[in-house]
Amino acid sequence: MGGIPVIDLSTAFGGSPAERLRVGREIDRICREIGFFTIAGHGVPAPVMDALRDTANAFFALPLAEKQRAIHPVKGTPRGYIALGVEALSLGNALATPPDLKEYYHFGRQSWPDEPYYASAEGQRYFLPNLWPERPQGFADAAAAYYAAMENLTVEMMRLAALGLGIPEHFFDDKIDRHITAMRLNHYPEQTAPPAPGQLRAGAHTDYGLLTILNGENVPGGLQVQTRDGRWLDVETDPLSFVVNIGDLLMRWTNDRWVSNVHRVVNPPDSSAARSRRLSIAFFHHPNYDALIECIAPPGAAKYPPVLSGAYRDEKYRQTRVAAA
């Protein structure tokens, strides 16, 4: 395999049942081999993508002292600005490394109904008010528009996934209609000092949800995915396309039929480290917190016991924290 596959979704969106099934089976074939692929024809307007990218770049270009004013006042709350040194993603896969060389901005959906699912003590653990900085203007609007576009895209993606898995097309609908997805704007700054031994922009890890939909940049020091035979492949992340990868929870849900691949973000070469900053926008799609995840498998063939979506996410998130944000 010389690179990750590309899937054109344009014929499936609004297409015939036969065409949707064909694309679903293509997703299934690819995800059995490698849980990474690029999607074209996704239908997300370029201005929506550009607006959030421009906003994020403007924020991360601010002086550190101003960015730190957007740190959430309650330590450990996954909202607002997270500085360098807080997270080591490899810890979630039991690999001890120094903290990742990245800073990021963490947010979720902007609003939700006044209903018990959201307003209960359990719901308030996931549906948290966003924290927005004073600058740049329009941050919240750009983030909300992008988040809404990702919600629409993931509904279609999960329906195609269901077709590929040979289950009813709308199987996932009532398990993701009140999802607890978080988003991150990951910024990998220029490296003006040598990294510590074993330190990367993002250590080798797997994601722990359903799907990650990533929009990035092709600059030195980018994303790599590890194949089943242990090779590392560079992943192109064009600003107008998305890279999709399967998370641990979906791998579990499919009874290991689909693979959640280890991936990392490497450091730029020494010759370009001081001028190679990189931005990536990640939508970490996760089901409703009360969704019961039971292996899609014949009776008696399940490899894992049922688990609640929210409890699974909480444990995985806890494992990656180096210190309270």
Side-chain angles (χ1 to χ4, degrees), residues 91-106:
L91 295 177
N93 291 80
L95 299 172
T97 66
D100 296 336
L101 293 169
K102 72 173 184 294
E103 57 184 346
Y104 60 92
Y105 210 95
H106 200 143

PDB file of all heavy atoms in Angstrom, residues 91-106:
ATOM      1  N   LEU A  91      -0.067   7.744  25.910  1.00  0.00           N
ATOM      2  CA  LEU A  91      -0.410   7.119  27.182  1.00  0.00           C
ATOM      3  C   LEU A  91      -1.704   6.322  27.094  1.00  0.00           C
ATOM      4  O   LEU A  91      -1.901   5.354  27.826  1.00  0.00           O
ATOM      5  CB  LEU A  91      -0.524   8.176  28.281  1.00  0.00           C
ATOM      6  CG  LEU A  91       0.771   8.923  28.652  1.00  0.00           C
ATOM      7  CD1 LEU A  91       0.479   9.986  29.702  1.00  0.00           C
ATOM      8  CD2 LEU A  91       1.827   7.957  29.162  1.00  0.00           C
ATOM      9  N   GLY A  92      -2.600   6.725  26.180  1.00  0.00           N
ATOM     10  CA  GLY A  92      -3.843   5.986  25.995  1.00  0.00           C
ATOM     11  C   GLY A  92      -3.624   4.611  25.408  1.00  0.00           C
ATOM     12  O   GLY A  92      -4.524   3.761  25.450  1.00  0.00           O
ATOM     13  N   ASN A  93      -2.452   4.372  24.861  1.00  0.00           N
ATOM     14  CA  ASN A  93      -2.090   3.055  24.327  1.00  0.00           C
ATOM     15  C   ASN A  93      -0.925   2.454  25.113  1.00  0.00           C
ATOM     16  O   ASN A  93      -0.167   1.632  24.594  1.00  0.00           O
ATOM     17  CB  ASN A  93      -1.717   3.168  22.845  1.00  0.00           C
ATOM     18  CG  ASN A  93      -2.929   3.492  21.987  1.00  0.00           C
ATOM     19  OD1 ASN A  93      -3.344   4.648  21.918  1.00  0.00           O
ATOM     20  ND2 ASN A  93      -3.511   2.500  21.353  1.00  0.00           N
ATOM     21  N   ALA A  94      -0.807   2.868  26.376  1.00  0.00           N
ATOM     22  CA  ALA A  94       0.172   2.311  27.304  1.00  0.00           C
ATOM     23  C   ALA A  94       1.607   2.494  26.833  1.00  0.00           C
ATOM     24  O   ALA A  94       2.466   1.638  27.066  1.00  0.00           O
ATOM     25  CB  ALA A  94      -0.121   0.826  27.565  1.00  0.00           C
ATOM     26  N   LEU A  95       1.882   3.624  26.161  1.00  0.00           N
ATOM     27  CA  LEU A  95       3.235   3.950  25.726  1.00  0.00           C
ATOM     28  C   LEU A  95       3.661   5.220  26.451  1.00  0.00           C
ATOM     29  O   LEU A  95       3.044   6.267  26.290  1.00  0.00           O
ATOM     30  CB  LEU A  95       3.293   4.160  24.211  1.00  0.00           C
ATOM     31  CG  LEU A  95       2.892   2.967  23.343  1.00  0.00           C
ATOM     32  CD1 LEU A  95       2.818   3.394  21.875  1.00  0.00           C
ATOM     33  CD2 LEU A  95       3.880   1.822  23.509  1.00  0.00           C
ATOM     34  N   ALA A  96       4.706   5.123  27.249  1.00  0.00           N
ATOM     35  CA  ALA A  96       5.163   6.262  28.029  1.00  0.00           C
ATOM     36  C   ALA A  96       6.069   7.150  27.186  1.00  0.00           C
ATOM     37  O   ALA A  96       7.134   6.716  26.747  1.00  0.00           O
ATOM     38  CB  ALA A  96       5.891   5.788  29.272  1.00  0.00           C
ATOM     39  N   THR A  97       5.649   8.390  26.936  1.00  0.00           N
ATOM     40  CA  THR A  97       6.443   9.354  26.185  1.00  0.00           C
ATOM     41  C   THR A  97       6.331  10.718  26.854  1.00  0.00           C
ATOM     42  O   THR A  97       5.424  10.956  27.660  1.00  0.00           O
ATOM     43  CB  THR A  97       5.960   9.480  24.724  1.00  0.00           C
ATOM     44  OG1 THR A  97       4.641  10.049  24.722  1.00  0.00           O
ATOM     45  CG2 THR A  97       5.948   8.134  24.021  1.00  0.00           C
ATOM     46  N   PRO A  98       7.229  11.643  26.518  1.00  0.00           N
ATOM     47  CA  PRO A  98       7.067  13.014  27.004  1.00  0.00           C
ATOM     48  C   PRO A  98       5.788  13.628  26.438  1.00  0.00           C
ATOM     49  O   PRO A  98       5.203  13.114  25.477  1.00  0.00           O
ATOM     50  CB  PRO A  98       8.311  13.726  26.460  1.00  0.00           C
ATOM     51  CG  PRO A  98       9.287  12.644  26.154  1.00  0.00           C
ATOM     52  CD  PRO A  98       8.463  11.461  25.734  1.00  0.00           C
ATOM     53  N   PRO A  99       5.331  14.741  26.987  1.00  0.00           N
ATOM     54  CA  PRO A  99       4.118  15.402  26.484  1.00  0.00           C
ATOM     55  C   PRO A  99       4.241  15.770  25.004  1.00  0.00           C
ATOM     56  O   PRO A  99       5.322  16.058  24.499  1.00  0.00           O
ATOM     57  CB  PRO A  99       4.007  16.658  27.358  1.00  0.00           C
ATOM     58  CG  PRO A  99       4.751  16.313  28.602  1.00  0.00           C
ATOM     59  CD  PRO A  99       5.872  15.421  28.176  1.00  0.00           C
ATOM     60  N   ASP A 100       3.103  15.753  24.322  1.00  0.00           N
ATOM     61  CA  ASP A 100       3.073  16.092  22.900  1.00  0.00           C
ATOM     62  C   ASP A 100       3.414  17.560  22.681  1.00  0.00           C
ATOM     63  O   ASP A 100       3.100  18.428  23.511  1.00  0.00           O
ATOM     64  CB  ASP A 100       1.685  15.803  22.324  1.00  0.00           C
ATOM     65  CG  ASP A 100       1.330  14.328  22.371  1.00  0.00           C
ATOM     66  OD1 ASP A 100       2.251  13.498  22.399  1.00  0.00           O
ATOM     67  OD2 ASP A 100       0.120  14.015  22.383  1.00  0.00           O
ATOM     68  N   LEU A 101       4.023  17.830  21.524  1.00  0.00           N
ATOM     69  CA  LEU A 101       4.435  19.191  21.170  1.00  0.00           C
ATOM     70  C   LEU A 101       3.316  19.905  20.417  1.00  0.00           C
ATOM     71  O   LEU A 101       3.428  20.221  19.235  1.00  0.00           O
ATOM     72  CB  LEU A 101       5.723  19.143  20.348  1.00  0.00           C
ATOM     73  CG  LEU A 101       6.954  18.660  21.119  1.00  0.00           C
ATOM     74  CD1 LEU A 101       8.118  18.393  20.170  1.00  0.00           C
ATOM     75  CD2 LEU A 101       7.353  19.678  22.187  1.00  0.00           C
ATOM     76  N   LYS A 102       2.229  20.115  21.126  1.00  0.00           N
ATOM     77  CA  LYS A 102       1.099  20.795  20.512  1.00  0.00           C
ATOM     78  C   LYS A 102       0.329  21.573  21.571  1.00  0.00           C
ATOM     79  O   LYS A 102       0.383  21.287  22.762  1.00  0.00           O
ATOM     80  CB  LYS A 102       0.159  19.802  19.822  1.00  0.00           C
ATOM     81  CG  LYS A 102      -0.662  18.932  20.745  1.00  0.00           C
ATOM     82  CD  LYS A 102      -1.670  18.108  19.955  1.00  0.00           C
ATOM     83  CE  LYS A 102      -2.567  17.287  20.855  1.00  0.00           C
ATOM     84  NZ  LYS A 102      -1.849  16.234  21.581  1.00  0.00           N
ATOM     85  N   GLU A 103      -0.386  22.563  21.094  1.00  0.00           N
ATOM     86  CA  GLU A 103      -1.371  23.287  21.879  1.00  0.00           C
ATOM     87  C   GLU A 103      -2.690  23.133  21.123  1.00  0.00           C
ATOM     88  O   GLU A 103      -2.698  22.853  19.928  1.00  0.00           O
ATOM     89  CB  GLU A 103      -0.980  24.757  22.026  1.00  0.00           C
ATOM     90  CG  GLU A 103      -0.787  25.471  20.701  1.00  0.00           C
ATOM     91  CD  GLU A 103      -0.310  26.911  20.837  1.00  0.00           C
ATOM     92  OE1 GLU A 103      -0.373  27.469  21.947  1.00  0.00           O
ATOM     93  OE2 GLU A 103       0.117  27.477  19.813  1.00  0.00           O
ATOM     94  N   TYR A 104      -3.806  23.290  21.802  1.00  0.00           N
ATOM     95  CA  TYR A 104      -5.056  23.126  21.077  1.00  0.00           C
ATOM     96  C   TYR A 104      -6.190  23.889  21.741  1.00  0.00           C
ATOM     97  O   TYR A 104      -6.084  24.346  22.886  1.00  0.00           O
ATOM     98  CB  TYR A 104      -5.414  21.652  20.899  1.00  0.00           C
ATOM     99  CG  TYR A 104      -5.614  20.829  22.158  1.00  0.00           C
ATOM    100  CD1 TYR A 104      -6.876  20.681  22.725  1.00  0.00           C
ATOM    101  CD2 TYR A 104      -4.550  20.152  22.742  1.00  0.00           C
ATOM    102  CE1 TYR A 104      -7.066  19.889  23.846  1.00  0.00           C
ATOM    103  CE2 TYR A 104      -4.736  19.355  23.863  1.00  0.00           C
ATOM    104  CZ  TYR A 104      -5.994  19.228  24.420  1.00  0.00           C
ATOM    105  OH  TYR A 104      -6.181  18.453  25.535  1.00  0.00           O
ATOM    106  N   TYR A 105      -7.259  24.029  20.965  1.00  0.00           N
ATOM    107  CA  TYR A 105      -8.484  24.662  21.464  1.00  0.00           C
ATOM    108  C   TYR A 105      -9.588  23.626  21.409  1.00  0.00           C
ATOM    109  O   TYR A 105      -9.798  22.981  20.382  1.00  0.00           O
ATOM    110  CB  TYR A 105      -8.869  25.885  20.627  1.00  0.00           C
ATOM    111  CG  TYR A 105      -9.598  26.910  21.447  1.00  0.00           C
ATOM    112  CD1 TYR A 105      -8.908  27.981  22.030  1.00  0.00           C
ATOM    113  CD2 TYR A 105     -10.959  26.815  21.680  1.00  0.00           C
ATOM    114  CE1 TYR A 105      -9.563  28.922  22.812  1.00  0.00           C
ATOM    115  CE2 TYR A 105     -11.621  27.738  22.458  1.00  0.00           C
ATOM    116  CZ  TYR A 105     -10.917  28.790  23.034  1.00  0.00           C
ATOM    117  OH  TYR A 105     -11.563  29.716  23.826  1.00  0.00           O
ATOM    118  N   HIS A 106     -10.274  23.455  22.518  1.00  0.00           N
ATOM    119  CA  HIS A 106     -11.234  22.369  22.687  1.00  0.00           C
ATOM    120  C   HIS A 106     -12.645  22.956  22.805  1.00  0.00           C
ATOM    121  O   HIS A 106     -12.884  23.866  23.601  1.00  0.00           O
ATOM    122  CB  HIS A 106     -10.881  21.616  23.978  1.00  0.00           C
ATOM    123  CG  HIS A 106     -11.435  20.234  24.064  1.00  0.00           C
ATOM    124  ND1 HIS A 106     -10.735  19.196  24.629  1.00  0.00           N
ATOM    125  CD2 HIS A 106     -12.615  19.690  23.662  1.00  0.00           C
ATOM    126  CE1 HIS A 106     -11.452  18.084  24.579  1.00  0.00           C
ATOM    127  NE2 HIS A 106     -12.600  18.374  24.012  1.00  0.00           N
TER     128      HIS A 106
END
